[in-house]
Amino acid sequence: MSQPMSQKKNQPEIIRNFIGGKWLPADGGKTFPSYNPATGEVVGHAPVSTVRDVEKAVEAAHAAFPAWRQTPAPKRGEILFKAAEILVTRKEELARLLTQEMGKVLAEARGDIQEAIDMAYYMAAEGRRSFGQTVPSELANKFMMTVRSPLGVAACITPWNFPVAIPSWKVFPALILGNTVVLKPASDTPVVAAKFVEILVEAGVPAGVLNFLTGPGGALGKTLCTHPKVALVSFTGSTDVGKGINAMCAPSLKRISMEMGGKNAILVMADADLDLAVDGIVWSAFGTSGQRCTAASRIIVERGIYPALTSKLLARTRKLRLGNGLDPKTEVGPVINRSQLQKIHEYVQIGQKEDRAKLLCGGQIEAKGPLAKGCFYQPTLFGDVRPEMRIAQEEIFGPVTALIPVRDFDEAIRVANGTRYGLSMSIFSKDVNKAFRAMRDLESGLVYVNAGTIGAEVQVPFGGMKETGNGHRDAGQSSLDTFSEWKSLFVDFSGRLQRAQID
Ligand code: NAP
C-alpha cells in the first residue's frame, strides 16, 4: 500500500486521499496548505480533490459494502478495538499535531483524542451487542423480532473544531453496523484527520470500507449529497451549510443526520454558588476560544446578583492568558483562521453599536509580539445585553459572551429559549425545584445543572433541537439509529395462513 503522508525533515507533511485501499493524490494533483493558527506556519498540504475523486471514493465504498456488511459484527468490533488501542499509544503525538493544526490548548487536544478513544471502545463493544428486540405476537405459533440493518455508503462531512472526535462519532458507529464510509473533513484540519484514517487502516479496516478525501466542501459536498450510491449523509457544521445539504439530499430522500450551530446559555439564579458559576462560565465561554458548538455565548443572570457575578467574572476573564496552545501557560488559544478572526471582530463592533450593550473587557484582535503572526482574539465580555440583540441571537463562534440581566427564573427560561438554536444550556441554582423545571422547560438537546454547557460523554446522545439539528443524534445508543435501518422479522411456524388483526 502507498504511504499516507510524505515529509522531508522539518518540512510540512504532504497528505493524500485514501480511496479503495490506496493513498492517492487528487485527480489533477493540486494541493492546498493547512496553517497553524497560532503561528501562521504551514502544517501540511492536502489534495484539492475533484468531483472525479468523490466518484471514485463512492464507487470504492459501494463495492466494499456487500462483504463488509456480512463480516460478523464482533469481527468488525475487533478492528475498532484495535483502532482504540493504537489511538491510546499515539494520543500524545496526535494531540500535539491537533493543537498545531487547529489551535486548541494541548489539554483540550488530548481531550479531543480521548473522546475518539472512548467512542472506539464504546462502538467496538456494540459489535457484540447492537441489540434488537423479540416481541410477542398476537397470533399463536408466530415469532417476531427486530434487527438492525446497515444502509450502505455513509458520507460523513465534519467541521474543524473537533477534528478527530467528530469524525470518530460518525465513522465508528457507521462501521460497526456494517456501512462503508466516505469521510470529508474540514479544509482547516485535513492533516490530523488523515492521521485518524491512517490509524483505522493500521487497525485492519479492509480496502474500500473507509475512504477519505480532502478539498472544497461546496463542490465535494454537492457530489456526495446528490450521488445515487450514497445512502446517508451525516453532517456536523454550520446551520447555513446544513440547510443547503438538506435541500440537496431531499430529492433522493437520502437519510441526513445534521448537528449544527448553537447559541448556548448559562442561567445563573440568585441562589447559585457564584464562584462555581464563574468557573463554569469561564470554561464554557472561553474554552477552545469559544469555538465549541456548545460554547456559552449568553449568560442569563438574575438582577439581584448581576453586579456581584459581573465583577467576579470580569476579574477572571481579564486574567486569562492568550497564547500558543502548546505553551503550558496558555489558557486561551488562537481562533481557527483570519476570516473567523474578522467575523468575531465584526460581531464585537455590531455589539458596541447595538443599543445599551457595554463592552466590559476584550474586544480587540491581539497582535502583541509573537501573537501578531497568529489569529488571536481577546476574551470578550459584553454587559447589559438585551435578548433580541444580534450578539445574543447569532452564533459568533469565538471568545465572546454576553451577560443578559433578567428579573426572575421565568424570564430566564423565556430568554434562554428565545433563539433559533437549541443545543446546550445550563442552570446554576441550589433550588431543586428550579433545577427540575429548567430540565423540563429548556428547549435544548443537552441540559446541565450546576455545570457549564460543555462536558458531553460518548455514551449519551449528543445533539440539539430547533435549528441545531434535525432530530437525529450523534453518540450513545441513538447514533446506532442514525446509521441503521430497523427490520422487523416475522416467522410463522403454525403451518397455516394466519392473518394479523383478522384471525
Ligand atoms: P461549516 O463551514 O458548515 O463546514 C462543515 C463541513 O461542511 C466542512 O467539512 C466543510 O468543508 C463542509 N462544507 C462546506 N460547504 C459545504 C457545502 N456546500 N456542502 C457540503 N459540505 C460543505 O462549519 P465549520 O466552520 O467547519 O464548523 C463550525 C460550525 O460547526 C459551527 O456552526 C458549530 O456550531 C458547528 N458545530 C456543531 C456541532 C454539533 O454537534 N451541533 C459540533 C461541532 C461544530 P470545507 O471546510 O472544505 O468548507
Side-chain angles (χ1 to χ4, degrees):
M1 191 190 298
S2 50
Q3 290 302 305
M5 323 239 176
S6 65
Q7 188 177 27
K8 291 193 189 127
K9 208 163 180 279
N10 300 327
Q11 293 290 310
E13 301 209 37
I14 297 172
I15 64 157
R16 301 192 174 91
N17 290 334
F18 188 66
I19 299 177
K22 293 198 177 80
W23 292 100
L24 300 168
D27 188 43
K30 279 198 192 146
T31 61
F32 66 96
S34 169
Y35 296 101
N36 180 332
T39 62
E41 287 159 355
V42 175
V43 175
H45 296 274
V48 180
S49 304
T50 63
V51 168
R52 179 84 199 96
D53 294 310
V54 184
E55 279 164 356
K56 278 197 258 173
V58 173
E59 287 300 338
H62 192 253
F65 178 56
W68 183 243
R69 79 189 292 257
Q70 292 200 38
T71 302
K75 202 93 210 131
R76 297 197 292 257
E78 282 169 23
I79 295 174
L80 297 201
F81 193 87
K82 182 86 194 290
E85 308 239 286
I86 302 171
L87 280 164
V88 169
T89 57
R90 292 182 62 183
K91 179 173 171 181
E92 193 59 24
E93 164 214 334
L94 284 176
R96 293 187 82 80
L97 173 63
L98 198 156
T99 292
Q100 284 165 339
E101 194 174 36
M102 185 272 160
K104 64 176 73 171
V105 299
L106 192 53
E108 292 181 29
R110 291 186 186 116
D112 200 311
I113 308 299
Q114 186 58 45
E115 215 165 290
I117 293 169
D118 296 345
M119 187 58 93
Y121 282 127
Y122 183 75
M123 286 299 159
E126 285 306 321
R128 290 188 184 270
R129 283 197 297 256
S130 302
F131 299 129
Q133 295 176 323
T134 56
V135 184
S137 167
E138 65 189 48
L139 297 168
N141 298 320
K142 186 177 167 191
F143 177 80
M144 299 195 305
M145 62 181 168
T146 63
V147 292
R148 291 187 184 277
S149 185
L151 283 98
V153 177
C156 301
I157 302 175
T158 54
W160 47 262
N161 66 337
F162 280 84
V164 173
I166 293 180
S168 85
W169 295 359
K170 299 181 185 305
V171 170
F172 292 143
L175 293 183
I176 198 65
L177 289 161
N179 302 282
T180 54
V181 171
V182 178
L183 171 63
K184 196 324 256 169
S187 296
D188 282 302
T189 50
V191 178
V192 74
K195 294 274 181 189
F196 170 71
V197 172
E198 183 188 294
I199 284 169
L200 276 153
V201 175
E202 190 186 334
V205 172
V209 168
L210 172 61
N211 304 276
F212 166 79
L213 38 83
T214 60
L220 308 189
K222 184 173 176 210
T223 313
L224 285 169
C225 294
T226 53
H227 200 295
K229 289 184 179 164
V230 170
L232 101 108
V233 176
S234 175
F235 167 77
T236 298
S238 59
T239 296
D240 287 348
V241 169
K243 284 182 178 176
I245 287 179
N246 201 14
M248 286 190 282
C249 291
S252 59
L253 299 179
K254 280 188 203 335
R255 178 175 298 183
I256 334 161
S257 137
M258 296 196 294
E259 296 300 343
M260 299 170 288
K263 192 70 193 171
N264 312 294
I266 293 180
L267 284 60
V268 189
M269 298 295 98
D271 62 10
D273 174 337
L274 287 197
D275 292 320
L276 180 64
V278 169
D279 284 346
I281 294 166
V282 170
W283 172 227
S284 305
F286 303 120
T288 325
S289 311
Q291 302 171 111
R292 288 183 177 227
C293 49
T294 51
S297 55
R298 296 179 297 153
I299 314 300
I300 301 169
V301 189
E302 274 197 271
R303 274 190 213 286
I305 49 148
Y306 183 82
L309 183 91
T310 304
S311 81
K312 279 175 187 278
L313 187 57
L314 199 49
R316 281 284 295 281
T317 306
R318 283 195 176 122
K319 283 199 205 127
L320 289 171
R321 273 190 303 263
L322 271 176
N324 187 323
L326 290 179
D327 179 344
K329 292 200 280 305
T330 295
E331 290 167 291
V332 181
V335 301
I336 188 68
N337 56 35
R338 297 242 161 242
S339 79
Q340 187 57 22
L341 194 65
Q342 281 310 326
K343 179 183 154 194
I344 295 165
H345 194 51
E346 276 162 31
Y347 267 111
V348 168
Q349 287 166 325
I350 290 167
Q352 285 174 279
K353 283 185 204 135
E354 285 186 298
D355 185 29
R356 271 183 51 203
K358 276 193 211 136
L359 181 65
L360 300 176
C361 70
Q364 292 298 329
I365 292 170
E366 183 64 69
K368 273 196 238 116
L371 300 194
K373 290 191 182 145
C375 304
F376 291 92
Y377 204 83
Q378 295 172 348
T380 300
L381 273 182
F382 274 104
D384 292 342
V385 175
R386 281 189 290 109
E388 65 279 11
M389 289 178 179
R390 284 185 65 191
I391 56 167
Q393 287 291 326
E394 297 172 22
E395 188 182 46
I396 300 173
F397 225 55
V400 178
T401 198
L403 286 155
I404 306 175
V406 292
R407 197 171 44 251
D408 56 17
F409 173 81
D410 289 331
E411 190 184 355
I413 296 280
R414 254 197 326 276
V415 168
N417 288 342
T419 74
R420 64 182 179 130
Y421 299 110
L423 181 55
S424 186
M425 298 205 202
S426 90
I427 179 166
F428 283 87
S429 171
K430 290 185 192 139
D431 181 337
V432 69
N433 296 349
K434 285 185 179 146
F436 269 87
R437 284 173 59 199
M439 285 191 271
R440 184 192 61 194
D441 294 338
L442 288 171
E443 294 164 358
S444 182
L446 314 169
V447 177
Y448 295 86
V449 175
N450 291 325
T453 48
I454 58 190
E457 299 186 31
V458 301
Q459 62 275 26
V460 285
F462 182 92
M465 299 178 179
K466 304 199 296 198
E467 291 195 22
T468 293
N470 68 337
H472 290 277
R473 292 287 186 271
D474 280 332
Q477 289 292 297
S478 56
S479 70
L480 301 179
D481 290 336
T482 299
F483 289 98
S484 64
E485 294 278 14
W486 277 117
K487 238 182 219 180
S488 300
L489 305 175
F490 308 87
V491 182
D492 192 314
F493 52 101
S494 68
R496 62 192 176 84
L497 181 68
Q498 298 196 92
R499 298 170 302 174
Q501 295 92 39
I502 295 172
D503 290 340

